[in-house]
Amino acid sequence: MSLQEYFLRLEAYQIKRIDEQENIALQAWLNQTVQATKGSSKHPKPKYTRFEEFFDSTAYLNNVHKSFDPNYVPLTESRHESEQREQDEILKRFKQREKQKEQQKQKGQPN
């Protein structure tokens, strides 16, 4: 068996393990939905509204693929990854605007 084939089989095994963990998490999710709540005892609300909040398999799969292929580009983002990317973009725009304000201030121009 070549080293490349070994790593391919190792990646497949890890993906299989993630699928098994997802099945276990799904069972826990179903058990949890009956029991877990937040809020007061008079007005309980479910702790998780979506399964992806409980177990995000997309993020786990992306991490496995990235560990085997440094050039891997995910086809889909997990909700957490997309939220993080949006926050990074907002922060980048904010910093650019602050830099523009500083440059205008140095030139003596109004905002």
Side-chain angles (χ1 to χ4, degrees), residues 56-68:
D56 191 0
S57 62
T58 305
Y60 288 115
L61 287 171
N62 287 341
N63 286 337
V64 168
H65 290 304
K66 285 178 190 175
S67 68
F68 286 96

Side-chain angles (χ1 to χ4, degrees), residues 43-57:
H43 304 288
K45 296 179 183 176
K47 186 170 182 174
Y48 301 104
T49 56
R50 293 183 343 272
F51 178 69
E52 289 79 21
E53 293 175 5
F54 182 71
F55 184 83
D56 191 0
S57 62

Side-chain angles (χ1 to χ4, degrees), residues 3-101:
L3 192 58
Q4 184 177 9
E5 184 181 358
Y6 172 76
F7 282 122
L8 184 63
R9 287 180 184 225
L10 184 61
E11 181 179 8
Y13 174 75
Q14 288 183 358
I15 291 171
K16 181 180 175 183
R17 292 283 300 148
I18 289 173
D19 288 340
E20 291 171 358
Q21 289 175 350
E22 184 176 15
N23 289 335
I24 292 168
L26 178 60
Q27 180 63 46
W29 164 260
L30 296 172
N31 292 335
Q32 177 271 341
T33 55
V34 176
Q35 300 171 3
T37 58
K38 61 182 179 180
S40 67
S41 60
K42 291 183 180 181
H43 304 288
K45 296 179 183 176
K47 186 170 182 174
Y48 301 104
T49 56
R50 293 183 343 272
F51 178 69
E52 289 79 21
E53 293 175 5
F54 182 71
F55 184 83
D56 191 0
S57 62
T58 305
Y60 288 115
L61 287 171
N62 287 341
N63 286 337
V64 168
H65 290 304
K66 285 178 190 175
S67 68
F68 286 96
D69 183 8
N71 299 325
Y72 175 73
V73 178
L75 298 176
T76 58
E77 289 182 319
S78 69
R79 185 174 185 92
H80 175 73
E81 289 170 335
S82 63
E83 288 173 356
Q84 183 65 42
R85 183 180 44 78
E86 289 173 8
Q87 289 175 0
D88 291 343
E89 289 174 6
I90 291 170
L91 182 61
K92 181 181 174 183
R93 283 189 229 125
F94 176 76
K95 287 181 180 179
Q96 286 175 345
R97 179 65 182 140
E98 290 296 315
K99 187 177 179 181
Q100 288 175 349
K101 284 182 181 180

